Structures are given as structure tokens and as C-alpha cells.
Amino acid sequence: MTATGPRNAPDVVDVVALGESMVALLPSRPGRLADVPSFDRGIGGAESNVACALAAAGHTARWISRVGTDGFGDHLVETVGSYGVDVTSVRRDPARPTGVYFRTAGDRATEAHEVAYYRAGSAASAMSVDTVGLDAVRAGRVLHLTGITAALSVDCLRLLRELTAPRPARPLVSFDVNHRPRLWTDGNSPQVLLELARGADLVFVGEDEAAEVWGLDGADAVRTAFPEPVVLVVKQGALGATVFDGGSVLHVPAPRVDVVAAVGAGDAFAAGFLSATLRGLPVRDRLRHGHLMAAAALTVPGDLAVPPSRDHADRLAALDDTAWGRLRLGPGWTQAPAAPEEVRTP
């Protein structure tokens, strides 16, 4: 499947990403939130992460959301815009604040990791079919959504149902399940996320995530539960990813990565896969570009990383299976020399 759509129509971009971004308060040192004396300011948001990564990779991208009429909202819009993302459709809400969250410095996978969200009643939770510009939302070759937005409010869920409903000439709808258990207080996440995924054209889901949400065991079981999307990508962590494209199936292993921080990889993978989809690359290379963009995120401390140049990524994606299997990527690899045989352990 290749993304299609009017390339030269006014206001049309490669990708539109809709969803909440928040200001992230990141600890100045390891430890419990109760013990950390100060925090550095960053941003966090699955959809804006994808938009920023795609813009950095040379695509036209638009982020659509709502933020408060406050300094945190200013910071979000300015920071996302600094990546080259179109933020002109982000609306300001004078009655609701921009969401913020605090987290500890440790690996998110450990029990010691803490996250404190202050997003209830945020400006983004007021997104609805009436408070976002639907023409701008639909003016992309790809519309990227996640399950996070569906959990923010009843109006946000109605908006996602509208955007995933069948309609003539809609964009290619990309949906990342992105299950966040803390947001789903009503226990409806399995049914809602399954419904939204079945309405999409391209779905990203983690194999472990599918087991947690639906009790599905393995990629084939996920495909059986998700027969409608033309393309289904099942992410399998360090083992790689499996893509179901129509009636075909392909597994591509991930390269070995010297991980600096296990954050942002899922959004980066989606961006890499979408970038290759927009370029009409073969399915194998779409998965490899997803793995490479994820490796860029894994080898830096934060959620967002400078991606490899397009030529660099293309050379690596074109390696034969043996050379790809030997590939090992560490900090600084995106700036490594161009020769593919030299790009192993920078």
C-alpha cells in the first residue's frame, strides 16, 4: 500500500498528526519525584513526536491540537514549530490549561519509574468535531492518530470515531494503538481501541501491548483480530516487527542497538515506516526505516532525535540480509560515515 492523495492542492501536506502534547518536566537527577530538587522543561506527545520526526526527515507535516492560552502552550507551539512542523491549526483555549507531566529519570519499564500527569480538563481534552478544523485535519496524504486521544474525553473519542469512519477520498488513516492504562478509568479500552483500529488503513500495535489489552498471543493472532486494516504492523521489540500487507506477511529483525534511553522508540518507528510509505518504498524497507528511526531515538536521552539523512538511511535499508543482521547502532550513529560497510559500531 502506498499513501495517495492530491500532492499539489492548497494546504495539503504529507502527514497530519492530531493529538495532545504536554510540557514535560524532566528531573535534573535520578531519584524519586519526592526527592528531585529541580526539573528541566521538555515536551511530550506521541502525535507531535511523529510530526517532528517526519518534518526532520524532509516531509511536510502538520500538528493539530488545542493548548491553553498560557506560557506552556506558547512553549509547545514554538518548540514543535521549530522542527518545521505546521502549527497554524493549533487552537488556543482561554478557559483550559495546557497539560503538564513530571517523570523520573529511570527506565520507564522499571517499577521505580514514576509519572505524574496533570492533564485532566486540559485544553486538548476539549478537542471535538466542533473545536478542531476538520478541513485542515483531512488535508494530508496521511492522517496519523493514536489511542491516547480516544481516552482523553467523550468528545475526543467522538472526534476519532468521525475521523476513522469510512468516507470517500479520506486520507490514509494511520492508527497507533498506544494503550495508556492510566487514562482508561472506565475499563472500555479493549472495545474502543479495537473499534478504532478496525476503522484505520494502517495500524501499529506492540505484540506485548496486544497481549495486555486483548489477551492475543503472537502476531498471527493479532492479524486475526484485526482483519480490516490493509496494513498491520506488529512491533516485537528487540526481535523486530512483522507486517501484514493485504494477504502477505513479512518479518524484519531489528538491528542491535546500544540503548541510551528506552523512550520515544515507538513514535520514531511509526515515523520511519510512514516516511517510507509516503515515498512508495517496498514493504521490507518500510520496516527497516522504522527500525532505523527507532534506533535514532533509542541512542539519545530524550524522545526526539535527529534522524539519519535520507541517503544514509536508504543505504542501510538496502543492505543484504547478512549485513543487516550484523548491523549494530550506538550513540552518534546517525552522524557516522556514509559507507554502509563502515556503519556498525560508531
Side-chain angles (χ1 to χ4, degrees):
M1 180 179 66
T2 299
T4 59
R7 296 171 183 244
N8 300 315
D11 204 33
V12 171
V13 294
D14 288 335
V15 175
V16 174
L18 178 146
E20 180 173 33
S21 288
M22 296 178 289
V23 167
L25 282 305
L26 311 174
S28 56
R29 64 171 177 81
R32 301 184 311 154
L33 287 179
D35 300 329
V36 174
S38 60
F39 295 81
D40 296 320
R41 184 181 60 180
I43 68 170
E47 300 85 1
S48 60
N49 284 349
V50 171
C52 289
L54 283 164
H59 297 279
T60 53
R62 173 181 299 129
W63 172 53
I64 294 182
S65 189
R66 290 175 65 83
V67 299
T69 308
D70 50 36
F72 286 149
D74 293 341
H75 178 64
L76 277 173
V77 173
E78 291 166 6
T79 302
V80 175
S82 72
Y83 283 85
V85 175
D86 174 11
V87 293
T88 57
S89 297
V90 177
R91 295 188 176 179
R92 311 302 292 261
D93 190 327
R96 298 175 179 84
T98 303
V100 300
Y101 73 97
F102 297 76
R103 68 171 173 85
T104 50
D107 187 338
R108 293 183 186 181
T110 69
E111 292 184 0
H113 182 68
E114 298 173 73
V115 182
Y117 289 107
Y118 298 89
R119 72 195 308 175
S122 69
S125 70
M127 287 189 294
S128 70
V129 293
D130 299 315
T131 61
V132 301
L134 293 181
D135 288 342
V137 173
R138 293 186 171 119
R141 297 170 60 197
V142 172
L143 171 59
H144 183 68
L145 308 168
T146 81
I148 297 170
T149 306
L152 298 181
S153 68
V154 171
D155 282 340
C156 283
L157 174 55
R158 287 174 180 157
L159 173 62
L160 259 63
R161 283 176 166 151
E162 168 67 20
L163 296 175
T164 55
R167 66 172 55 248
R170 78 173 191 181
L172 186 156
V173 176
S174 165
F175 182 74
D176 192 333
V177 171
N178 246 324
H179 181 237
R180 296 291 187 270
R182 290 188 184 184
L183 295 178
W184 293 93
T185 57
D186 58 8
N188 289 334
S189 61
Q191 307 94 293
V192 171
L193 293 173
L194 186 62
E195 170 201 341
L196 294 173
R198 285 175 167 172
D201 303 299
L202 164 59
V203 171
F204 300 96
V205 62
E207 190 172 58
D208 55 349
E209 185 177 44
E212 177 186 0
V213 180
W214 299 288
L216 300 173
D217 183 15
D220 290 338
V222 179
R223 184 49 162 173
T224 299
F226 293 76
E228 295 87 354
V230 177
V231 175
L232 170 67
V233 180
V234 181
K235 299 173 290 182
Q236 296 161 304
L239 297 178
T242 297
V243 61
F244 297 86
D245 184 9
S248 66
V249 57
L250 177 68
H251 174 81
V252 172
R256 288 174 293 170
V257 178
D258 297 329
V259 176
V260 172
V263 296
D267 301 332
F269 181 95
F273 191 95
L274 288 173
S275 173
T277 298
L278 285 158
R279 296 170 60 203
L281 299 184
V283 172
R284 185 206 69 171
D285 291 358
R286 297 180 193 188
L287 282 176
R288 286 188 172 186
H289 276 274
H291 288 320
L292 291 170
M293 197 79 88
L298 289 169
T299 50
V300 298
D303 288 25
L304 290 168
V306 176
S309 70
R310 184 171 289 186
D311 287 347
H312 188 176
D314 283 346
R315 281 190 291 270
L316 293 180
L319 293 172
D320 62 43
D321 288 347
T322 301
W324 177 263
R326 291 197 301 262
L327 195 62
R328 181 170 181 173
L329 305 170
W333 76 268
T334 60
Q335 307 303 316
E341 64 272 19
E342 298 175 0
V343 184
R344 293 188 59 193
T345 309

